Amino acid sequence: MLWSKMQTPHCEDFKQWCRRRLPILEWAPQYNLKENLLPDTMSGIMLAVQQVTQGLAFAILSSVHPVFGLYGSLFPAIIYAIFGMGRHVATGTFALTSLISANAVERLVPLSSQNLTTQSNT
């Protein structure tokens, strides 16, 4: 009885399902390169300069290696570009999450005498 009520999936149903879950499939085909590429590139460069310095600072605040701050700045922006629904959302590293993670790191990881801001060959 339950099987008779089920419909066979169609290609259009799958496309609609993907568009609802991946908003990039909705706006990317309609993106106007000539009109939007330069302003989007400039805003991307300005955001990158701000996020790199902020990510490094918050990684040091979190008591982890600074490269993890760069990962924390880069990957949320890429993931949000693919899966995000809102147009005006800030992603990346924040002071509150850095302080909370620093508390966890300091409790779980033993203190190291190594300075994280200098390179070491060990």
Side-chain angles (χ1 to χ4, degrees), residues 19 31 34 39 41 49 68 79 114 116:
R19 282 190 189 124
Y31 187 79
K34 188 175 183 180
T41 302
V49 167
F68 295 118
I79 292 169
Q114 178 182 352
L116 296 177

Side-chain angles (χ1 to χ4, degrees), residues 39-84:
D40 286 346
T41 302
M42 291 303 296
S43 64
I45 290 170
M46 291 170 30
L47 180 66
V49 167
Q50 185 254 339
Q51 280 296 98
V52 164
T53 55
Q54 188 176 5
L56 292 171
F58 284 147
I60 293 171
L61 179 66
S62 298
S63 303
V64 296
H65 199 277
V67 76
F68 295 118
L70 298 177
Y71 296 151
S73 297
L74 175 69
F75 291 119
I78 293 172
I79 292 169
Y80 190 80
I82 297 169
F83 295 106

Side-chain angles (χ1 to χ4, degrees), residues 17-27 82-85:
W17 182 84
C18 286
R19 282 190 189 124
R20 278 193 306 233
R21 281 152 182 80
L22 300 171
I24 195 170
L25 298 176
E26 192 71 34
W27 62 262
I82 297 169
F83 295 106
M85 298 284 187

